[in-house]
Amino acid sequence: MGKRHDKRKLVILLIIIGTALGLYVFSTFSQKLTKSTDLSDESIGGFKVLDNISSPEFIREYGEPIDRDNNNTYDYFYWKGGLKTASINTDEDKGKIMRLIISSTEDDQFENALQTSKGIKLGSKKADVLKKYGDHYYKSYEQGADIIGYIDHKRNITLEFWCVSGGRVAEIRLDDADVI
């Protein structure tokens, strides 16, 4: 009976891994097939992907980080106003922003004032996102969120809106498309 139980666990584990891998491949493939959206003017809180957290403008606006998570490739910083950034942590590109994130928690339910360049903010309706950004988007589903994503193939930038039940935006990510 022990061997049968072990085989069952192995099959379940393989199904879980296969499903996760399949979703990742589908998401990546879906991005490649999505028509490009011009995101050249896109920013969150007035800053764009590839700006630098060490620039005088960024420091003037956000000051010192509130908290920090280290990662092998990126440093994740938490800033006043609810902004989170991922920036390169080595060499001449140190501080270059690769990801900007605003998100809500159950405690602050959509209280963040930051927004995209087209005025979408936390708590905005999914329908408003589609109206302002158009219908060239990919869809994904992760961590309980219905994700609508736009990609600028020329600039290698993605903009994702993570929507929760009720069709409200709970997280916005502006990324270099190569960020994992």
Side-chain angles (χ1 to χ4, degrees), residues 1-9:
M1 182 148 156
K3 286 185 180 185
R4 183 179 294 171
H5 188 67
D6 289 343
K7 284 183 182 179
R8 190 174 293 154
K9 281 183 180 179

Side-chain angles (χ1 to χ4, degrees), residues 154-173:
K154 181 178 178 182
R155 291 168 189 81
N156 201 40
I157 295 172
T158 61
L159 177 63
E160 292 186 340
F161 300 92
W162 293 46
C163 301
V164 293
S165 59
R168 297 282 183 174
V169 175
E171 182 167 301
I172 302 171
R173 292 183 179 190

